[in-house]
Amino acid sequence: MVDWDLGRLRVLHELAERRTLGAVAAALGYTPSAISQQLATLEREVGQPLTEKAGRGVRLTEAGRILAERAGVLLAGAEAAAAELASLSGEVRGTVRAGGLQSATRHLLIPVLEQLQREQDGLRLELTDLELEQALPELRLGSLDLVISDEYDGHPRPRPAALRYEVIHDEPLRLVLPADHPRAAGGGPVPLELLREDVWVAAAAGTGHHASVVATCRAVGGFDPDLRHRSNDADVQVELVRSAGAVALMPVLALPAADPALAVRDVAGAAVRRRLVLLTRDAPPGPALAAVLAALAERARRLARA
Amino acid sequence: MVDWDLGRLRVLHELAERRTLGAVAAALGYTPSAISQQLATLEREVGQPLTEKAGRGVRLTEAGRILAERAGVLLAGAEAAAAELASLSGEVRGTVRAGGLQSATRHLLIPVLEQLQREQDGLRLELTDLELEQALPELRLGSLDLVISDEYDGHPRPRPAALRYEVIHDEPLRLVLPADHPRAAGGGPVPLELLREDVWVAAAAGTGHHASVVATCRAVGGFDPDLRHRSNDADVQVELVRSAGAVALMPVLALPAADPALAVRDVAGAAVRRRLVLLTRDAPPGPALAAVLAALAERARRLARA
DNA sequence: GTCAGGTCCAGTGACCATTCATAGCCCTGA
DNA sequence: TCAGGGCTATGAATGGTCACTGGACCTGAC
């Protein structure tokens, strides 16, 4: 008959994921001191230590890990109950927090945001730019409700458990060249091997884009690209093409607006593709999230037709 | 991300079972005012009404019923987590609340209480005499941890869902007569039909005991007993036999200590039996409850041997 | 009318987060 | 090797908030 405080359980649950009190405090909007005291009260209630010192931080004890896991189940149950009640009322209202990479945000989330602001008054959509590595824990912990990520041919993302995973868009990568590049003439597909001497730009090492560019040049063009510049920002990549004479392979959604200084061409031969992937918690969505997901799906269909 | 207050959810859950705010207040140890306010806050959090007026009381709305059910799941989860943590520590400590009918309390619960008080220091066992009808909701809602009930041949108790149900003792009913009763002579089994003219005493109409006595007299003795006195208290029944010359059919555990004014005889022919039934919530017990159940089982085995 | 059940309101006490200060641990640089 | 600064967690004091109590009040049933 212990009516545990779900807030305190959430603290423990977040601590299991975020490792330090400070991170938990930041995530929940408290000071570290408050977190420390909440944990202390929880330990008093439980009657056994949940954390132990580990260097300058803390580590969960066995009991702590078990309770944190249980807490996750309880919190998910509470969320499910909230969703059920919300869909009972049917009203589309509340806040939905979305995270995603740049091009997805621009072409999917922002149009959806605009549309919903017009159509649904009680709905509030919050956007955050995040790397997938940061976004996944937030999604699992509930501080994000949906995440859009990407996935390149040959470099599948790990599929984390307890998350729903749906491909919502699939598009080719195209070549971006300076308009005065010798291979830009004509306008037809460009054989990749003709770009073996060029300077390339791609995303940072370790990303799907980077790996995909290298793999494509090797497989289709038969060479290792001189991948001299690395930026995860599409605008920076474009600027390097425009001003530094580099070449790039970019997904359609990341392409710049028509620009006389740039030429965009298909790759001759095998097309490389990337997919946009929608991640949500694997639980029935409330009406607010459902509305966002529906709008998102609609938007993705229109992108595919375009 | 609504961290609902489990206390408030418990209020709702209890209300679903107990129907009136006053009853909930009494059960949880608050004033009705507090309950009313907790519900009001909960409704504000949920954003839709959970109760509606019905006469001078309240009734749960659809949303209220749904949330109450969800609350039940959450509360059970919290209890399971507590049990898991407790068994992790392995310490047998805490409070176990038991309810049961008189004879079971006297011969099973009280000896167990004595034993555990000697053997287990941190354990506290609380006993309550309750009719089964009152005890079952308490058990389901968690204000009791175990209940011992009885069951007579031919009158099975309804088996409520979500409760574990185990027969822990099985015993015959025996005849109790005044020592100077003509049929008490000898000491062997007494044919029931010889008692057709006697005045009988049994438990109140509607109980298993009452029905069982009537059914036995009809089936074995071929008569409708003159069931003049009704008391659920075994001592009162015995006193009526001793002082008013009535006769009774009593389960062994309810029999009085040896008394020269009384004769105890077997019934000739088919033996009528009653069973003691142990009811617990259908969830893994913590170490404290486990210890009580073990002691109870041991005690029941010793009763059976005796 | 009277009673039972529920709600509203003001007052009070407990609890909880913040701030500020302290203590331990790790890394760095002399 | 040691001193120091940064990082992390904890403790004490304070102030605000929240929730329960007690009482007045309302409504519906008998």
Side-chain angles (χ1 to χ4, degrees):
Chain A
M1 281 264 276
V2 218
D3 283 341
W4 277 330
D5 185 322
L6 282 189
R8 286 200 263 272
L9 287 184
R10 182 177 295 279
V11 165
L12 184 65
H13 184 232
E14 298 258 344
L15 181 60
E17 192 87 28
R18 303 194 193 272
R19 328 300 305 176
T20 81
L21 296 205
V24 175
L28 299 182
Y30 294 122
T31 60
S33 180
I35 300 300
S36 171
Q37 290 175 58
Q38 295 217 27
L39 276 175
T41 3
L42 191 55
E43 295 197 346
R44 235 178 303 121
E45 288 174 352
V46 166
Q48 43 187 319
L50 299 172
T51 60
E52 55 195 6
K53 299 186 183 288
R56 53 187 163 187
V58 293
R59 179 180 36 226
L60 289 186
T61 61
E62 177 69 10
R65 273 191 298 277
I66 290 181
L67 186 55
E69 189 169 340
R70 287 287 193 169
V73 176
L74 286 180
L75 292 168
E79 193 195 342
E84 188 172 2
L85 280 181
S87 55
L88 190 72
S89 91
E91 274 185 288
V92 175
R93 51 178 300 114
T95 301
V96 172
R97 276 149 304 191
L101 65 164
Q102 221 194 23
S103 60
T105 302
R106 185 173 294 173
H107 290 89
L108 282 169
L109 290 176
I110 291 183
V112 163
L113 173 61
E114 274 183 322
Q115 174 193 344
L116 292 178
Q117 264 175 350
R118 257 182 291 112
E119 297 178 0
Q120 302 283 359
D121 198 34
L123 184 60
R124 182 185 156 96
L125 181 55
E126 297 181 0
L127 304 187
T128 320
D129 259 7
L130 272 184
E131 293 300 318
L132 185 63
E133 290 68 34
Q134 286 109 52
L136 283 192
E138 305 297 331
L139 180 57
R140 242 177 291 124
L141 291 172
S143 44
L144 285 179
D145 298 307
L146 72 94
V147 167
I148 298 185
S149 170
D150 61 359
E151 189 176 65
Y152 285 84
D153 267 351
H155 285 269
R157 299 275 195 186
R159 258 130 170 111
L163 293 181
R164 254 193 58 223
Y165 199 95
E166 188 189 356
V167 173
I168 55 170
H169 188 61
D170 186 339
E171 60 179 6
L173 271 62
R174 304 190 69 198
L175 273 173
V176 183
L177 316 164
D180 54 3
H181 191 285
R183 310 303 172 201
V190 177
L192 217 47
E193 55 268 28
L194 299 182
L195 299 174
R196 67 162 61 230
E197 303 302 336
D198 278 85
V199 170
W200 286 77
V201 53
T207 62
H209 182 255
H210 181 107
S212 192
V213 168
V214 172
T216 307
C217 287
R218 281 207 193 122
V220 180
F223 65 97
D224 269 342
D226 174 10
L227 229 168
R228 200 172 301 173
H229 309 301
R230 283 166 300 278
S231 166
N232 291 346
D233 187 311
D235 290 337
V236 172
Q237 292 190 12
V238 168
E239 196 50 39
L240 284 166
V241 172
R242 188 191 286 116
S243 317
V247 302
L249 260 177
M250 300 184 67
V252 171
L253 286 189
L255 291 177
D259 180 338
L262 297 176
V264 176
R265 298 286 179 270
D266 285 329
V267 178
V272 207
R273 307 187 71 85
R274 77 142 179 188
R275 284 168 295 287
L276 291 183
V277 174
L278 171 64
L279 292 151
T280 49
R281 276 187 298 286
D282 192 8
L289 180 52
V292 173
L293 293 179
L296 213 45
E298 167 63 20
R299 195 82 209 170
R301 270 195 300 276
R302 289 179 51 183
L303 272 184
R305 279 201 303 272
Chain B
M1 281 263 276
V2 216
D3 283 340
W4 276 330
D5 185 323
L6 282 189
R8 286 200 263 273
L9 287 183
R10 183 177 294 280
V11 165
L12 184 65
H13 184 232
E14 297 257 345
L15 181 61
E17 192 88 27
R18 304 193 192 273
R19 328 302 302 176
T20 80
L21 296 205
V24 175
L28 298 182
Y30 294 122
T31 60
S33 177
I35 300 301
S36 172
Q37 292 175 59
Q38 295 215 30
L39 276 175
T41 340
L42 191 54
E43 294 197 346
R44 234 179 303 121
E45 287 175 352
V46 166
Q48 44 187 319
L50 298 172
T51 60
E52 56 195 5
K53 297 186 184 288
R56 55 188 162 185
V58 293
R59 177 178 41 224
L60 289 186
T61 61
E62 176 69 10
R65 273 190 299 276
I66 289 181
L67 186 55
E69 188 168 341
R70 288 287 194 168
V73 177
L74 286 180
L75 291 168
E79 194 196 340
E84 188 171 2
L85 280 181
S87 57
L88 190 72
S89 90
E91 274 185 288
V92 175
R93 51 178 301 115
T95 302
V96 172
R97 276 149 305 192
L101 63 165
Q102 221 194 23
S103 60
T105 301
R106 184 173 296 173
H107 290 88
L108 283 170
L109 290 176
I110 291 183
V112 163
L113 173 61
E114 273 182 324
Q115 175 192 345
L116 292 178
Q117 265 176 350
R118 255 182 293 114
E119 296 178 0
Q120 302 283 0
D121 198 33
L123 182 60
R124 182 186 156 96
L125 180 55
E126 296 182 1
L127 304 186
T128 320
D129 258 7
L130 272 184
E131 293 300 316
L132 186 64
E133 290 68 35
Q134 286 109 51
L136 283 191
E138 305 298 331
L139 180 58
R140 242 178 290 126
L141 291 171
S143 43
L144 285 180
D145 299 307
L146 71 94
V147 167
I148 298 185
S149 171
D150 60 1
E151 190 178 64
Y152 285 84
D153 268 350
H155 286 267
R157 300 275 195 186
R159 255 128 170 114
L163 293 182
R164 255 193 58 221
Y165 198 95
E166 189 190 354
V167 173
I168 55 168
H169 188 62
D170 186 337
E171 60 178 5
L173 270 62
R174 305 189 71 197
L175 273 173
V176 183
L177 318 165
D180 55 3
H181 191 284
R183 310 303 172 200
V190 177
L192 217 46
E193 55 269 29
L194 300 182
L195 299 174
R196 66 162 61 229
E197 303 303 335
D198 280 85
V199 171
W200 286 76
V201 52
T207 62
H209 183 255
H210 181 106
S212 192
V213 167
V214 172
T216 306
C217 287
R218 281 205 193 125
V220 180
F223 65 97
D224 269 342
D226 174 11
L227 230 168
R228 200 171 300 173
H229 309 301
R230 282 167 300 279
S231 167
N232 291 345
D233 188 311
D235 290 337
V236 172
Q237 293 190 12
V238 169
E239 197 50 37
L240 284 166
V241 173
R242 186 189 289 117
S243 318
V247 303
L249 260 176
M250 300 184 66
V252 171
L253 284 189
L255 291 177
D259 180 336
L262 296 176
V264 176
R265 298 285 179 273
D266 285 328
V267 177
V272 208
R273 305 186 74 84
R274 77 142 180 190
R275 284 169 295 287
L276 290 183
V277 173
L278 172 65
L279 293 150
T280 49
R281 278 188 297 286
D282 193 7
L289 180 51
V292 173
L293 294 180
L296 213 45
E298 167 62 19
R299 195 82 207 169
R301 270 195 300 276
R302 287 179 53 181
L303 272 185
R305 279 201 301 271

